């Protein structure tokens, strides 16, 4: 709905230490007017996780960097998913994961954000993710503002909930050694206990 569309933006935001051109953005204001618009940025391929095994839990997160440019309060942002999207956004059924993302107070700099997408992941079928930008119609150009996104990724962990955790054992029964050199990304431990 409306004339605004997502586009590849190469504007050099020198105020941002996380600037990483190009990124995608959309703006519901242009020239002398703010205009009504609704537009989806949809993953080009479906996301599919394996069926969840018994005694397992999953944690799926959509991570991204976002930025706001300009002032105003005429924009709503959301994240949705669809299991029946087939190339026509209007014909698909979109389920809200979060239909009103938290307000962005600062302008001009990218910052990290994330949304839990377990509901989409737990459908156990392929799904598409969409960012939704909605702006209102107004004669004041300062009402609508530009939303930019970068570094979009989906993170997923699958946990076996039947595994006995160390906090169920007495502390004096646990012995641990760090193997090799620990890094910020990985620590290898050797554990030994006196009982199963």
């Amino acid at each position: 709905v409306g004339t605004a569309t997502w586009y590849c933006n190469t504007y050099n935001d020198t105020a941002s230490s996380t600037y990483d051109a190009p990124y995608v953005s959309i703006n519901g204001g242009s020239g002398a007017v703010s205009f009504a618009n609704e537009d989806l940025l949809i993953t080009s391929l479906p996301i599919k996780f394996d069926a969840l095994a018994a005694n397992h839990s999953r944690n799926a997160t959509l991570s991204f960097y976002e930025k706001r440019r300009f002032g105003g309060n005429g924009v709503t942002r959301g994240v949705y998913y669809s299991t029946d999207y087939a190339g026509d956004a209007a014909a698909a059924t979109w389920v809200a994961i979060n239909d009103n993302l938290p307000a962005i107070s600062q302008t001009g700099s990218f910052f990290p954000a994330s949304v839990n997408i377990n509901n989409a992941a737990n459908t156990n079928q392929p799904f598409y993710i969409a960012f939704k930008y909605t702006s209102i119609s107004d004669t004041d150009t300062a009402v609508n503002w530009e939303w930019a996104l970068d570094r979009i990724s989906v993170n997923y962990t699958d946990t076996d909930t039947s595994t006995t955790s160390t906090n169920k054992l007495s502390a004096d029964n646990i012995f641990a050694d760090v193997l090799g050199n620990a890094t910020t990304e990985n620590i290898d431990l050797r554990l030994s206990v006196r009982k199963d």
Side-chain angles (χ1 to χ4, degrees):
V1 179
T3 58
T5 58
W6 289 95
Y7 66 99
C8 183
N9 195 332
T10 58
Y11 174 73
N12 189 350
D13 180 4
T14 55
S16 173
S17 61
T18 57
Y19 165 71
D20 189 18
Y23 49 90
V24 292
S25 62
I26 187 169
N27 192 343
S30 177
V33 68
S34 291
F35 46 87
N37 197 83
E38 181 180 288
D39 207 73
L40 300 176
L41 177 69
I42 307 169
T43 53
S44 60
L45 296 172
I47 299 167
K48 175 142 182 14
F49 298 120
D50 293 333
L52 194 61
N55 299 319
H56 280 235
S57 66
R58 63 166 46 117
N59 184 29
T61 304
L62 175 68
S63 300
F64 53 95
Y65 276 69
E66 63 178 337
K67 179 180 71 169
R68 168 182 176 153
R69 288 185 65 213
F70 312 118
N73 58 1
V75 171
T76 303
R77 306 155 9 262
V79 176
Y80 295 74
Y81 77 92
S82 174
T83 57
D84 64 359
Y85 172 68
D88 183 353
T93 303
W94 294 99
V95 179
I97 296 173
N98 187 328
D99 62 359
N100 190 13
L101 292 173
I104 302 175
S105 57
Q106 65 182 19
T107 61
S109 297
F110 278 105
F111 66 93
S114 64
V115 175
N116 182 301
I117 59 169
N118 281 341
N119 288 346
N122 288 336
T123 61
N124 286 327
Q125 59 181 306
F127 63 92
Y128 289 82
I129 291 284
F131 290 92
K132 183 179 180 181
Y133 174 94
T134 306
S135 57
I136 64 172
S137 178
D138 198 288
T139 56
D140 184 357
T141 58
V143 170
N144 296 340
W145 44 273
E146 179 183 274
W147 187 30
L149 295 169
D150 198 7
R151 302 179 187 179
I152 301 167
S153 65
V154 171
N155 309 295
Y156 169 73
T157 57
D158 182 336
T159 304
D160 184 350
T161 57
S162 64
T163 302
T164 302
S165 60
T166 55
N167 62 8
K168 293 181 182 178
L169 298 173
S170 301
D172 63 350
N173 287 339
I174 302 172
F175 304 92
D177 296 306
V178 176
L179 303 178
N181 295 321
T183 69
T184 56
E185 299 292 330
N186 187 72
I187 300 175
D188 289 325
L189 297 176
R190 177 176 58 206
L191 298 175
S192 60
V193 294
R194 289 199 286 260
K195 63 181 180 179
D196 291 340

